[in-house]
Amino acid sequence: MTWEAPMRLALAEARTALAADDVPVGAVVLDEAGTVIATGHNTRESEGDPTGHAEVVALRAAASARGEWRLAGCTLVVTLEPCTMCAGALVLARVDRLVFGAYDDKLGAVGSLWDVVRDRRLNHRPEVLAGVLATEATALLDDFFARHRATAPPAGT
């Protein structure tokens, strides 16, 4: 399967987060047949929820759609390398495959800083495919943070 189409859906979700001035990260969950069963984007700003990461939002919606917390057979497609919380959540949900776009050198937990999903001490290790449409995902994030730096008040004021 090619992962560009689901990643484009995740990128569309990431753009939705921009409306709430949240970090543009989007995610989709696909079932075994490749059908989208859930989507999510960052909601930390709009909901005031520190766990409102795109992956957690999408995993919750997928569990609700399936009627159970186990997401065996599913694929999580996300625009940015998951952090430790999100990597842990997808391991605990038994997601079979993780597909992500941009690497996160500051918080990434799928190879950049940590590698939670491949830790042999855990009872589940999903397949990982990285770098899908990374240029587009990175550009979306870079533009967002450049705008925020340009409009941020000077430090100490």
Side-chain angles (χ1 to χ4, degrees):
M1 174 176 191
T2 178
W3 298 106
E4 287 188 11
M7 184 59 77
R8 290 200 188 286
L9 292 173
L11 286 164
E13 279 293 317
R15 289 182 189 95
T16 302
L18 288 172
D21 202 32
D22 212 327
V23 178
V25 178
V28 299
V29 178
L30 309 172
D31 67 11
E32 298 89 335
T35 302
V36 175
I37 61 169
T39 62
H41 56 271
N42 276 3
T43 60
R44 293 182 312 163
E45 297 299 330
S46 64
E47 295 184 11
D49 179 0
T51 68
H53 290 208
E55 301 95 324
V56 171
V57 172
L59 291 172
R60 285 178 180 154
S64 179
R66 283 194 136 183
E68 68 172 320
W69 62 267
R70 289 177 192 85
L71 298 177
C74 291
T75 299
L76 174 66
V77 180
V78 62
T79 58
L80 182 64
E81 176 184 3
C83 69
T84 53
M85 175 182 69
C86 295
L90 72 96
V91 167
L92 292 172
R94 311 296 195 270
V95 170
D96 279 6
R97 181 179 303 107
L98 166 66
V99 177
F100 72 88
Y103 281 92
D104 186 347
D105 295 334
K106 294 181 180 177
L107 296 172
V110 186
S112 289
L113 292 180
W114 300 280
D115 202 348
V116 171
V117 301
R118 294 184 192 102
D119 190 320
R120 296 207 176 276
R121 295 170 292 182
L122 299 176
N123 65 341
H124 179 74
R125 290 179 295 283
E127 174 187 359
V128 176
L129 298 152
V132 176
L133 299 180
T135 302
E136 291 91 332
T138 300
L140 192 59
L141 290 159
D142 286 349
D143 290 349
F144 173 81
F145 286 114
R147 266 195 334 274
H148 272 263
R149 283 191 294 275
T151 59
T157 60

